[in-house]
Amino acid sequence: SPRQRPAPPGIAGQSGGCGVAGGRMTDTRRRVKVYTLNEDRQWDDRGTGHVSSCYVERLKGMSLLVRAESDGSLLLESKINPNTAYQKQQDTLIVWSEAENYDLALSFQEKAGCDEIWEKICQVQGKDPSVDITQDLVDESEEERFDDMSSPGLELPSCELSRLEEIAELVASSLPSPLRREKLALALENEGYIKKLLEIFHVCEDLENMEGLHHLYEIIKGIFLLNRTALFEVMFSEECIMDIIGCLEYDPSLSQSRKHREFLTKTAKFKEVIPISDPELKQKIHQTYRVQYIQDMVLPTPSVFEENMLSTLHSFIFFNKVEIVGMLQEDEKFLTDLFAQLTDEATDEEKRQELVNFLKEFCAFSQTLQPQNRDAFFKTLSNMGILPALEVILGMDDAQVRSAATDIFSYLVEYNPSMVREFVMQEAQQNDDDILLINLIIEHMICDTDPELGGAVLLMGLLRTLVDPENMLATANKTEKTEFLGFFYKHCMHVLTAPLLANTTEDKPSKDDFQTAQLLALILELLTFCVEHHTYHIKNYIINKDILRRVLVLMASKHAFLALCALRFKRKIIGLKDEFYNRYIMKSFLFEPVVKAFLNNGSRYNLMNSAIIEMFEFIRVEDIKSLTAHVIENYWKALEDVDYVQTFKGLKLRFEQQRERQDNPKLDSMRSILRNHRYRRDARTLEDEEEMWFNTDEDDMEDGEAVVPPSDKTKNDEDIMDPISKFMERKKLKESEEKEVLLKTNLSGRQSPSFKLSFSSGTKSNLTSQSSASNLPGSPGSPGSPGSPGSPGSVSKSTSQMAAITTKGGLVGLVDYPDDDEEDDEDEDKEETLPLSKKAKLESS
């Protein structure tokens, strides 16, 4: 080692610990101790962990990472520098210098792990892993001799045309050694060598000396790889930069030279949208553009070994941008003129487009600032009125201007959503809803003309950020969440849901083209997010506006992704296990579109099939009693033959168990069974209180609105009956001991599902009349089972479908009297002889 480092202690013999990153939990190969050399030339143990090597974006290169085995914290993050000398010692040690007087060592528990990491280091540096040291080090005594020499460490050949090849070879040979690179850079600085090289460049171009031009390309490219700021200052000066770009046009690997200078001088035009009075600022803008062009277009893509050698070039551009933003920000007259012209109606469209593009680039530059400087930047823009200006711009007809304004708005939302929320709440006090900034954003999202809705996706992301309670502030005096969500649901939500409501007025989507489906899917995605995060605000909105029923219309869409979005929305609501939502779902029979979609899907094993089954499985597993009863009472006949999963049979079992717990088995009269015309609820659930919730004002209701049940809607019975009857017809009558009675049903009205199915023992039904004596099987009010196995499908569409009530081991009628099997059989025999005209009609409850 050049500084005579003592050998660090090893780790061998220690018990294997539990690894975090860099190895499996039991992987001891990568288990290491991290040591640093202190001022007393002693090794300090910094901890034990597991080492890994990976690309680190922040460091812009492959790096060594060591995470502590105790808590996973980062013990070491060290970029593998191509020029750092790494040494492998004693088969289990890797030692190197991180800085001038900061030595590091990794002591491996196993040789195999040391070899793996050593190979990674050698791979980055382009070395053979068989070496024990990756760079040739100059001995300390030799270093001292260099330092003592009065002459420069490296003597450059005289800058002449005939010696260009010699100069190119000298530069190339100096690049691998850090010390020689340092000496070469100093020599180039001290002798004004770059300007002399550029003079020769002019001579070579005049003589069309291609060999000389190719040598100059190699020399200038090598000087870039020296990574020296002082040299960049010379190369990027107004006097030299175009000649430097000229040298880089003559890449010997290309058959024809590039025309970079021609592009920069003739094609690329500098647009001064607002006159810049400061010459230094103007020169800095020109320089930054050209250096960025060199980095992006002129220099070849660096190899893995050269990439780190251009880090100073990245830094040069970065700090230039910081200076430009700072100088513009301090020029109050410039910014005042900018915003005045942006919002002036007299500004012509072309000029306004240039102004908006400038502001967009200005905001993009700000991303390079440190957090505190970025705060000051956006505060300045806010004080100058950037949000009112954006509102004006977004209301204009020019699509390009609006697109640029949207990008600027995204910078503001990502930086400080609270600032945007505060502005829109203040403007709501003076302006109508249709010109509010958020509503303009929603309208642009809805009206996006891109077939792929690229702009709409971006805008939806911004809206999601704005309505996300996670980034809302709460102070002692006010809660941003309460204030902003109250504002959003009052002034903006109706704009967001307008396309959804307009497209779901019938039983299927009125427009079902791909672009409309994509837009509705985006809107549903945001509404689903709101259900999860907005609690009572969205609950009031959904129940008051009957949103879920409208959303479920989209399950009839021909686009599977949209139907799945609608199902996901309902699944999110059910996942909350909120009885208010459950009551709404049951009152409006909102499982009907889901069951219909399930039956239409048939036997196909696809995402729709799995998602619907998962929803019912969730209800079963979570034992949501009200929904279980509702599903079995109303949809059992349509689902009972699904036997490739046990979900529906499991639901039926749950239903029967809860009925057994609730019902008194010794019921002695029909009246006691029918005392409540609704299904019987869990005894712990207070139905009357929930009913009051729907019909009385609540303190936290928005604008004092009470939540009321949605208005009645007549259903098209045949529409839902068709798929169910087809489904049922596919399974013919099985050989069984069951006897069946066909009942004619005439279902209508909002409060009934389009089909009612038979019930198991003790089940209640929704009956028009509560009279006990008349409601025997076959009398008016008895429930039926449409599309049952007994229905041959021959009934015309003008009549409703047939229903079945079975007995003895199957489904039973309204009342199952113990020990009365014979009477039940007789009743059924009688029922079968009744003419159809005297069969029961089931009215809406």
Side-chain angles (χ1 to χ4, degrees):
S1 158
R3 288 203 293 274
Q4 301 300 316
R5 289 181 289 237
I11 193 175
Q14 297 187 24
S15 60
C18 113
V20 188
R24 297 182 299 276
M25 300 294 284
T26 57
D27 188 357
T28 56
R29 285 179 308 133
R30 298 284 187 94
R31 190 165 181 264
V32 295
K33 271 192 180 295
V34 180
Y35 293 96
T36 56
L37 198 64
N38 62 27
E39 292 178 354
D40 300 326
R41 312 298 290 165
Q42 299 295 317
W43 289 102
D44 291 337
D45 183 354
R46 295 299 182 187
T48 304
H50 284 73
V51 63
S52 63
S53 61
C54 62
Y55 185 85
V56 176
E57 184 65 36
R58 185 175 62 80
L59 300 177
K60 303 290 183 192
M62 290 295 292
S63 306
L64 297 176
L65 305 178
V66 179
R67 290 196 179 274
E69 66 179 11
S70 55
D71 58 3
S73 60
L74 207 56
L75 293 178
L76 175 70
E77 185 179 59
S78 172
K79 180 178 174 182
I80 303 173
N81 195 306
N83 307 307
T84 297
Y86 291 85
Q87 285 180 286
K88 186 166 73 162
Q89 301 174 6
Q90 304 166 21
D91 288 338
T92 56
L93 284 170
I94 296 176
V95 185
W96 73 98
S97 296
E98 191 81 358
E100 185 60 29
N101 285 306
Y102 186 66
D103 290 351
L104 281 161
L106 292 180
S107 178
F108 288 78
Q109 181 164 330
E110 293 182 23
K111 178 180 182 298
C114 183
D115 291 342
E116 284 177 16
I117 295 299
W118 183 250
E119 282 181 19
K120 287 285 184 186
I121 293 169
C122 290
Q123 183 184 347
V124 171
Q125 294 202 343
K127 303 292 180 181
D128 186 335
S130 62
V131 300
D132 286 333
I133 184 164
T134 62
Q135 302 285 347
D136 294 323
L137 288 172
V138 182
D139 202 43
E140 270 188 331
S141 57
E142 194 176 341
E143 262 190 70
E144 288 164 6
R145 283 201 301 275
F146 267 122
D147 293 337
D148 291 339
M149 291 167 68
S150 54
S151 62
L154 205 66
E155 189 171 337
L156 292 167
S158 57
C159 196
E160 298 171 7
L161 179 59
S162 59
R163 304 192 70 175
L164 282 178
E165 185 175 1
E166 185 184 343
I167 298 168
E169 286 175 0
L170 175 65
V171 171
S173 64
S174 300
L175 289 176
S177 163
L179 187 63
R180 287 176 66 79
R181 284 168 54 197
E182 185 76 14
K183 299 294 182 185
L184 175 60
L186 285 171
L188 290 168
E189 284 174 45
N190 295 338
E191 298 181 20
Y193 209 80
I194 291 173
K195 291 186 179 179
K196 294 176 184 175
L197 286 170
L198 296 179
E199 288 173 9
I200 296 178
F201 167 69
H202 286 293
V203 172
C204 287
E205 272 209 316
D206 291 341
L207 298 174
E208 295 184 359
N209 182 341
M210 293 308 294
E211 186 183 356
L213 291 169
H214 287 161
H215 288 316
L216 281 166
Y217 170 89
E218 298 292 354
I219 293 166
I220 297 298
K221 180 189 168 189
I223 294 173
F224 268 98
L225 295 176
L226 291 175
N227 219 13
R228 187 89 171 183
T229 307
L231 294 177
F232 288 157
E233 295 287 354
V234 176
M235 295 162 75
F236 300 151
S237 64
E238 190 79 23
E239 179 186 356
C240 298
I241 189 166
M242 294 307 286
D243 289 339
I244 292 291
I245 292 170
C247 290
L248 294 170
E249 289 180 352
Y250 296 96
D251 184 346
S253 64
L254 301 174
S255 58
Q256 197 172 356
S257 63
R258 298 288 177 86
K259 305 291 183 186
H260 296 304
R261 286 171 294 176
E262 185 179 316
F263 173 83
L264 289 171
T265 53
K266 295 179 181 177
T267 309
K269 300 293 181 187
F270 176 60
K271 290 189 176 179
E272 210 169 345
V273 289
I274 303 286
I276 296 173
S277 53
D278 186 347
E280 185 186 349
L281 172 58
K282 195 179 292 189
Q283 191 273 328
K284 187 73 69 178
I285 292 170
H286 284 300
Q287 184 190 56
T288 306
Y289 177 78
R290 289 165 179 167
V291 176
Q292 184 96 54
Y293 182 82
I294 290 173
Q295 183 193 42
D296 296 341
M297 303 300 297
V298 181
L299 285 177
T301 304
S303 70
V304 68
F305 309 116
E306 295 173 337
E307 189 171 4
N308 302 312
M309 295 181 175
L310 294 175
S311 58
T312 307
L313 182 60
H314 294 295
S315 300
F316 188 94
I317 295 168
F318 173 86
F319 287 114
N320 261 21
K321 288 181 176 179
V322 170
E323 278 189 64
I324 291 168
V325 172
M327 292 164 84
L328 285 172
Q329 195 177 325
E330 289 164 12
D331 191 337
E332 283 191 23
K333 182 180 183 307
F334 179 88
L335 289 179
T336 306
D337 289 350
L338 173 67
F339 283 104
Q341 290 189 38
L342 261 178
T343 53
D344 188 352
E345 291 182 6
T347 306
D348 65 73
E349 285 188 10
E350 188 177 348
K351 177 72 170 176
R352 197 187 314 276
Q353 190 174 332
E354 290 175 356
L355 291 165
V356 174
N357 285 335
F358 168 80
L359 186 56
K360 174 184 167 182
E361 194 169 353
F362 192 30
C363 290
F365 268 36
S366 74
Q367 302 305 294
T368 62
L369 299 175
Q370 295 295 318
Q372 64 271 22
N373 295 340
R374 204 179 308 155
D375 284 347
F377 172 80
F378 281 111
K379 198 166 285 182
T380 301
L381 290 187
S382 180
N383 294 339
M384 299 300 293
I386 189 168
L387 284 166
L390 283 179
E391 198 167 47
V392 172
I393 298 164
L394 285 167
M396 294 178 178
D397 296 331
D398 191 322
Q400 285 183 305
V401 168
R402 289 203 312 267
S403 174
T406 301
D407 290 337
I408 297 166
F409 183 68
S410 70
Y411 284 122
L412 295 171
V413 171
E414 286 165 17
Y415 166 70
N416 190 346
S418 289
M419 176 179 79
V420 178
R421 285 192 284 260
E422 187 177 352
F423 168 76
V424 295
M425 284 193 287
Q426 286 174 353
E427 67 163 348
Q429 298 167 9
Q430 293 94 26
N431 297 338
D432 296 331
D433 284 2
D434 57 345
I435 59 170
L436 295 180
L437 180 58
I438 290 194
N439 286 345
L440 286 172
I441 293 294
I442 294 172
E443 283 170 22
H444 289 321
M445 182 196 80
I446 292 169
C447 300
D448 187 6
T449 54
D450 177 9
E452 297 297 324
L453 293 189
V457 172
L458 168 66
L459 293 172
M460 185 58 77
L462 298 179
L463 282 174
R464 183 171 173 151
T465 302
L466 287 174
V467 301
D468 187 354
E470 293 295 318
N471 61 43
M472 293 183 185
L473 306 173
T475 62
N477 301 327
K478 63 174 184 176
T479 305
E480 189 180 13
K481 177 180 176 180
T482 305
E483 287 190 2
F484 181 74
L485 291 184
F487 156 84
F488 183 78
Y489 280 87
K490 183 176 181 180
H491 297 282
C492 309
M493 187 55 107
H494 66 280
V495 184
L496 179 66
T497 55
L500 172 68
L501 296 176
N503 211 37
T504 54
T505 53
E506 304 299 329
D507 289 337
K508 60 182 181 179
S510 49
K511 282 182 69 180
D512 205 19
D513 59 279
F514 180 70
Q515 194 163 352
T516 303
Q518 271 195 310
L519 175 63
L520 294 179
L522 275 178
I523 293 171
L524 276 179
E525 200 175 309
L526 186 60
L527 289 178
T528 306
F529 177 82
C530 294
V531 166
E532 187 174 3
H533 293 91
H534 289 179
T535 59
Y536 71 89
H537 288 93
I538 188 71
K539 188 193 301 183
N540 288 352
Y541 191 81
I542 288 173
I543 297 176
N544 275 325
K545 305 291 185 187
D546 199 14
I547 294 296
L548 179 55
R549 184 176 64 79
R550 305 294 283 272
V551 166
L552 291 175
V553 169
L554 300 176
M555 290 201 68
S557 170
K558 66 184 180 187
H559 299 286
F561 69 88
L562 180 57
L564 286 164
C565 278
L567 185 64
R568 188 159 56 245
F569 179 71
K570 179 171 183 177
R571 173 65 178 80
K572 186 65 73 177
I573 289 174
I574 289 175
L576 296 176
K577 298 191 285 188
D578 184 319
E579 274 304 306
F580 289 138
Y581 274 132
N582 293 348
R583 283 296 304 276
Y584 162 59
I585 289 169
M586 292 183 296
K587 275 178 174 287
S588 302
F589 294 97
L590 295 180
F591 276 103
E592 196 171 284
V594 177
V595 174
K596 181 179 176 182
F598 184 66
L599 297 176
N600 280 335
N601 192 60
S603 58
R604 282 176 292 176
Y605 178 50
N606 54 16
L607 196 53
M608 177 64 74
N609 174 276
S610 299
I612 292 175
I613 289 173
E614 190 278 333
M615 178 189 289
F616 287 111
E617 182 69 11
F618 176 82
I619 294 169
R620 185 191 72 79
V621 171
E622 296 296 322
D623 196 15
I624 306 175
K625 293 180 172 54
S626 55
L627 294 183
T628 300
H630 178 76
V631 169
I632 296 302
E633 288 177 351
N634 295 295
Y635 310 103
W636 170 243
K637 261 298 175 184
L639 302 170
E640 66 175 328
D641 290 319
V642 179
D643 54 8
Y644 51 85
V645 289
Q646 295 305 305
T647 295
F648 300 110
K649 287 182 171 54
L651 266 179
K652 181 73 160 32
L653 183 62
R654 286 269 196 204
F655 171 74
E656 289 170 347
Q657 288 170 346
Q658 73 189 50
R659 284 302 177 213
E660 285 172 13
R661 287 196 299 270
Q662 288 177 4
D663 291 343
N664 181 351
K666 297 182 179 179
L667 296 173
D668 56 357
S669 72
M670 180 75 77
R671 186 179 298 279
S672 63
I673 289 177
L674 298 177
R675 64 181 177 270
N676 184 358
H677 71 279
R678 300 178 188 273
Y679 57 84
R680 180 157 317 168
R681 303 282 304 278
D682 188 315
R684 293 169 297 176
T685 309
L686 301 177
E687 188 166 294
D688 292 341
E689 287 187 10
E690 287 188 11
E691 193 65 38
M692 286 170 62
W693 187 87
F694 278 94
N695 297 305
T696 58
D697 290 346
E698 290 282 315
D699 292 338
D700 61 353
M701 298 298 168
E702 189 173 287
D703 300 328
E705 290 181 74
V707 180
V708 295
S711 59
D712 283 5
K713 171 186 175 293
T714 302
K715 290 182 176 288
N716 182 343
D717 301 316
E718 296 173 357
D719 185 42
I720 186 137
M721 291 309 306
D722 282 349
I724 293 170
S725 14
K726 287 173 189 169
F727 176 80
M728 294 307 216
E729 284 167 20
R730 283 198 294 268
K731 60 176 190 102
K732 299 300 180 183
L733 261 177
K734 300 173 185 175
E735 292 295 330
S736 72
E737 295 179 5
E738 295 178 351
K739 295 184 179 179
E740 298 178 348
V741 180
L742 300 178
L743 296 176
K744 182 178 178 182
T745 59
N746 182 14
L747 306 173
S748 62
R750 167 122 197 106
Q751 303 292 31
S752 294
S754 296
F755 54 99
K756 297 290 273 184
L757 303 164
S758 325
F759 307 103
S760 62
S761 175
T763 303
K764 318 300 176 295
S765 69
N766 293 341
L767 301 175
T768 310
S769 166
Q770 292 188 41
S771 71
S772 57
S774 61
N775 287 333
L776 292 170
S779 61
S782 292
S785 174
S788 68
S791 171
S794 59
V795 182
S796 68
K797 288 203 171 186
S798 60
T799 64
S800 50
Q801 305 296 314
M802 309 306 288
I805 294 182
T806 64
T807 60
K808 298 192 75 168
L811 295 168
V812 299
L814 283 177
V815 186
D816 181 15
Y817 292 102
D819 306 319
D820 274 357
D821 290 345
E822 291 180 7
E823 291 179 22
D824 289 341
D825 290 344
E826 290 171 12
D827 287 343
E828 278 191 35
D829 293 339
K830 290 174 186 174
E831 178 62 22
E832 286 178 342
T833 63
L834 289 175
L836 279 177
S837 59
K838 295 189 177 180
K839 298 292 164 87
K841 288 189 178 182
L842 183 61
E843 300 290 328
S844 61
S845 57

